[in-house]
Amino acid sequence: MDTRLTAEQEEIRRTLRELLVKRCGPRELRAAEPTPAGYDPELWETLARRLGLPGLALPEAYGGVGCSMTELALACEESGRALAPSPLLSTAVLAAPLILALGTGAQRAALLPSLASGALTAALAVPGTGLATALALTGDNRGDWAGGGRAGGVQARRADGVWRLYGQAAQVLDGHSAGLLVVAAHTGGFARSRTLLFLVRDDAGGLVRARQTSLDPTRPQARLELRDVEAELLGGDQADVPAALAAVGDTAAAVLAVEAVGAADRVLERTVEHVGRREQFGRAIGSFQAVKHRLADVYVGVQSARSAAYYAAWATGTGGERVGALALAQALEALRTAASEGIQLHGGIGFTWEHDVHLYFKRASGDELLFGPVHRLRAHAADAARLFDGGEVTV
């Protein structure tokens, strides 16, 4: 693995950082949070049309740029630094790869160019609050998380050649504003129980969407109710949906890890700047040895998480080992620690709503609720590696 960034990757990072500094500062961030979409549509249009971020990892044949997921991860690192709210994660990291992997030729040709241009946004909806399980990050996704033939979840049935969905999903990232929903639903009953993916347009009859109040306001979420909604099957009914979701889950975890590293790095920078200005007993508190030690520990954690996240992003493009979940666990822990120390070392102002440092703590906590928590990410990775199958461990 070559850890050096290419000139193209450096340009992506530089251009996006300059843009977000100008267009997504603290004032713009807070102004976007209470809007119906939860993000600035003009900024999204700039990210999509000027920089091509939604299509960065999509093939050129479908209007994409043709880069790897590593470039998209680097872009997300910069958006993580700014905590920039946008449908990039839900569209380019979760939904588009599933359409690319499972969609028919006609579905790909009809949907991917619009997703690559940013004209169409998409969201992945799974039953209940099981996103981490559906993506195989915290457990086996071949179980009954989609409904299992029982009441609850999202059920799909076919009548007169038309698929119809009934059920509900919560904590759907950008589900209230996405123009296209990729919905995981259970079908087949007990005899032929399986999970399939369906495409639902935002104007479908019987679809009810409501934005939820989320812990992290920079990650807008929605609750969806599907009341006999007409849907289009994604791909064929023999598709291995759990395998496709697991592959997308590993890639998404790697991207989220790099994004979390960007956020952790930025909150550490802000904390170092603050302790260099704030004075007690006639000297900057950053000169106190105890403060230096605490920040040094944070720095080591961030750099270690960056190495793991970059490796995971690189591994997604090589077809090698899947280490996204482990990298995500380390990155979320680094972000949570950096944000916690930032709040403490900012003193009284760090606990106020008016200061931005608490937003980084909410990002860490919110991502753990959606994709973790950290201990479950690590436990499932250990189970998948059969780490403790050898019996009694001797020292």
Side-chain angles (χ1 to χ4, degrees):
M1 173 185 175
D2 188 353
T3 59
R4 294 171 298 180
L5 298 182
T6 65
E8 184 181 43
Q9 291 170 342
E10 289 284 8
E11 183 65 17
I12 292 173
R13 168 181 283 179
R14 183 192 63 80
T15 303
L16 187 54
R17 182 173 299 189
E18 290 178 355
L19 175 65
L20 292 177
V21 166
K22 295 178 182 178
R23 299 283 299 275
C24 194
R27 181 178 300 178
E28 291 81 6
L29 178 62
R30 291 177 181 272
E33 288 174 5
T35 61
Y39 61 89
D40 181 3
E42 293 184 3
L43 176 60
W44 171 245
E45 185 175 356
T46 301
L47 295 174
R49 297 190 180 276
R50 176 181 164 188
L51 301 182
L53 294 191
L56 203 58
L58 289 176
E60 295 182 27
Y62 298 112
V65 180
C67 294
S68 69
M69 196 59 70
T70 303
E71 282 73 24
L72 182 57
L74 290 173
C76 287
E77 180 179 6
E78 295 306 315
S79 68
R81 284 178 59 88
L83 298 180
S86 79
L88 181 63
L89 175 63
S90 58
T91 299
V93 180
L94 295 176
L98 287 170
I99 296 173
L100 180 62
L102 299 177
T104 64
Q107 288 172 335
R108 294 176 187 174
L111 298 175
L112 291 180
S114 297
L115 293 173
S117 68
L120 177 66
T121 59
L124 173 62
V126 301
T129 58
L131 182 59
T133 301
L135 296 176
L137 297 177
T138 59
D140 182 11
N141 68 350
R142 294 184 180 273
D144 60 358
W145 56 268
R150 303 172 180 84
V154 178
Q155 306 293 325
R157 63 181 178 86
R158 192 173 186 178
D160 300 324
V162 178
W163 285 98
R164 309 195 76 86
L165 306 182
Y166 188 90
Q168 66 179 15
Q171 295 181 341
V172 180
L173 287 173
D174 298 303
H176 61 296
S177 61
L180 177 70
L181 299 172
V182 180
V183 183
H186 177 269
T187 186
F190 288 104
R192 297 180 57 210
S193 174
R194 65 193 188 280
T195 299
L196 298 176
L197 295 178
F198 297 87
L199 301 175
V200 177
R201 292 285 183 172
D202 60 342
D203 57 353
L207 174 63
V208 179
R209 308 193 292 178
R211 183 175 176 181
Q212 293 178 297
T213 299
S214 56
L215 174 63
D216 178 9
T218 66
R219 289 256 200 250
Q221 301 173 25
R223 183 183 70 255
L224 308 181
E225 293 183 7
L226 301 110
R227 304 171 180 175
D228 204 29
V229 174
E230 184 175 335
E232 177 185 354
L233 178 65
L234 178 62
D237 58 4
Q238 299 302 317
D240 191 348
V241 171
L245 285 169
V248 169
D250 180 69
T251 301
V255 173
L256 284 163
V258 178
E259 183 191 69
V261 165
D265 188 58
R266 180 55 185 148
V267 73
L268 175 59
E269 286 180 2
R270 297 187 65 160
T271 305
V272 170
E273 292 170 1
H274 177 75
V275 299
R277 294 191 305 264
R278 182 185 174 197
E279 292 187 357
Q280 284 186 349
F281 310 111
R283 55 188 289 194
I285 64 171
S287 64
F288 298 151
Q289 190 175 39
V291 174
K292 289 180 180 180
H293 286 174
R294 292 172 69 172
L295 291 177
D297 289 340
V298 173
Y299 176 80
V300 171
V302 172
Q303 294 306 316
S304 299
R306 172 174 279 115
S307 296
Y310 278 17
Y311 178 78
W314 171 81
T316 60
T318 63
E321 56 185 338
R322 293 184 176 182
V323 292
L326 276 176
L328 178 58
Q330 189 165 354
L332 289 179
E333 187 173 57
L335 174 55
R336 184 179 59 201
T337 302
S340 299
E341 292 288 2
I343 291 174
Q344 289 287 332
L345 293 175
H346 272 79
I349 63 171
F351 290 85
T352 63
W353 289 107
E354 290 75 18
H355 203 277
D356 298 325
V357 70
H358 72 89
L359 294 175
Y360 290 89
F361 185 84
K362 288 183 175 181
R363 169 61 66 88
S365 301
D367 278 2
E368 279 204 65
L369 289 174
L370 281 172
F371 303 102
V374 166
H375 71 275
R376 290 191 61 193
L377 289 168
R378 287 176 171 154
H380 181 58
D383 290 341
R386 305 176 66 88
L387 189 61
F388 301 113
D389 283 3
E392 184 178 350
V393 177
T394 59
V395 180

